[in-house]
């Protein structure tokens, strides 16, 4: 199917999903506002790049401020664009023409936009509450929780159009990952150089990536969100690289992490073996993904398997169950196994209930369902702030501190793929598309 055909199905999916959501939340219609440029500081005239509201982006990939989508069950969605009068900025590029014919398009002056909003019990969804006010919306119908929770649930199950966009976003990111991996193994670079190399290969500006690239050499991989890239060329013959970087396509995000190591020292070889172990572990977890399984049970399984890997690799000794009960695996792998992926890199709809106390950072507590798209990203890091307290507990004797010291210069490992849940298992968008020709 072409993008236009997929988009028609997507709009039909949204029409029926919104009709049900509006009925459940007792609204007749909803107005979705794209957003307004936000000033960086009150004392100057610099604005943050526009990030359109995701409920608006669910309907179309237009990156314009102050645009409305009006959704009324049974009627063609209405797109209301304010005619611009600024001579300071040009319009944002329009990322395709597959969506226009699905809308009744109205172009009018900003003050006339109100005239095209429906009457009745109408909700407003958007970040710019001053725009809601000028359109005549009362505060109680702005971003109503009852409607938002229905729409979040709708966003957690992707249409075929969305899966297509997420696949494209993944393919673009793969191009960057393969290029950076090759650079890292061919010549010495700085973290900053590799970050720029990734942007060039994926043809994205840093404001367009779905999140700030994480590009970390060695110990910096133990900083989970390392975005202060070193400018020094790293000449270490034995060095690791963790890169967590995605791409955007039609507003949809990909989120991929790879870890690699160069050099032939004993420690580099041991770290390479640990990467291979975590890679195999990740694939075993992915094999467990299918509708009906609790995502949190896969997260718990990740800890059980990591306990075995820590013992096999010589980082820990003792019994796997003791590593689990003493919280040792949680010191090595502190974050969640993954999260919903879509219009936001940490997308909505898969954490409707909190995780158990032992998994505080888990962002996916859903029962896995067909059509969900999420990441699966186990990690194993040497983070001093988490490991140091173990020296004071009975866990102390279960860690091989000398092995840990030898591997510590490599920082840590994360391997992250993007999955779409199918009827019986999952499709791995990352590994299935891993080719430099993407
Ligand atoms: N890149 C952010 C994350 O993996 O969740
Ligand atoms: Mn992620
Ligand atoms: Mn990531």
């Amino acid at each position: 199917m072409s993008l236009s055909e997929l988009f028609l199905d997507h709009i039909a999916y949204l029409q029926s999903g919104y009709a049900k959501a509006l009925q459940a939340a007792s609204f007749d219609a909803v107005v979705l506002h794209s957003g307004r440029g936000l000033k960086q500081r009150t004392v100057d005239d610099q604005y943050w790049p526009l990030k359109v509201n995701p409920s608006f982006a669910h309907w179309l990939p237009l990156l314009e401020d102050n645009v409305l989508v009006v959704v009324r069950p049974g009627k063609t969605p209405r797109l209301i664009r304010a005619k611009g009068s600024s001579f300071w900025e040009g319009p944002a590029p329009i990322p395709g023409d597959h969506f226009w014919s699905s809308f009744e398009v109205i172009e009018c002056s900003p003050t006339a936009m109100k005239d095209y909003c429906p009457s009745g019990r109408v909700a407003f969804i958007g970040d710019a509450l001053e725009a809601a006010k000028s359109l005549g919306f009362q505060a109680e119908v702005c971003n109503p929780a009852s409607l938002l929770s229905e729409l979040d649930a709708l966003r957690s199950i992707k249409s075929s159009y969305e899966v297509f966009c997420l696949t494209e976003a993944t393919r673009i990111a793969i191009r960057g990952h393969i290029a950076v991996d090759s650079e890292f193994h061919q010549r010495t670079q700085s973290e900053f150089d590799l970050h720029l190399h990734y942007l060039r290969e994926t043809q994205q500006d840093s404001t367009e990536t779905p999140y700030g690239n994480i590009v970390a050499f060695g110990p910096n991989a133990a900083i989970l969100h390392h975005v202060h890239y070193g400018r020094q060329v790293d000449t270490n013959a034995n060095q690791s690289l963790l890169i967590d970087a995605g791409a955007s396509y039609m507003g949809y995000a990909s989120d991929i992490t790879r870890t690699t190591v160069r050099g032939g020292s004993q420690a580099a070889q041991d770290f390479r073996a640990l990467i291979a172990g975590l890679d195999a572990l990740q694939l075993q977890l992915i094999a467990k993904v299918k509708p009906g399984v609790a995502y949190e049970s896969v997260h718990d399984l990740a800890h059980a398997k990591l306990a075995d890997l820590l013992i096999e690799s010589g980082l820990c000794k003792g019994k796997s169950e003791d590593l689990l009960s003493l919280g040792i695996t949680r010191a090595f792998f502190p974050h969640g196994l993954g999260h919903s992926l879509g219009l936001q890199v940490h997308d909505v709809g898969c954490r409707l209930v909190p995780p158990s106390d032992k998994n505080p950072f888990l962002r996916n507590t859903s029962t896995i369902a067909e059509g969900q798209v999420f990441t699966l990203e186990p990690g194993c890091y040497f983070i001093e702030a988490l490991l140091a307290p173990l020296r004071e507990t009975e866990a102390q004797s279960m860690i091989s501190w000398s092995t840990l010291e030898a591997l510590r210069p490599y920082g840590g490992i994360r391997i992250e793929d993007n999955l779409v849940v199918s009827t019986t298992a999952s499709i791995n968008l990352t590994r299935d598309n891993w080719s430099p020709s993407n």
Side-chain angles (χ1 to χ4, degrees), residues 211 244 255 257 377 416:
Y211 56 92
D244 181 345
D255 181 9
T257 310
E377 48 181 304
E416 177 174 25

Side-chain angles (χ1 to χ4, degrees), residues 211-212 214 225 244-245 255-257 339 345-346 363 375 377 414 416:
Y211 56 92
I214 296 165
H225 291 160
D244 181 345
D255 181 9
I256 299 176
T257 310
H339 50 83
V345 63
H346 295 155
R363 294 175 192 270
T375 68
E377 48 181 304
R414 180 163 62 260
E416 177 174 25

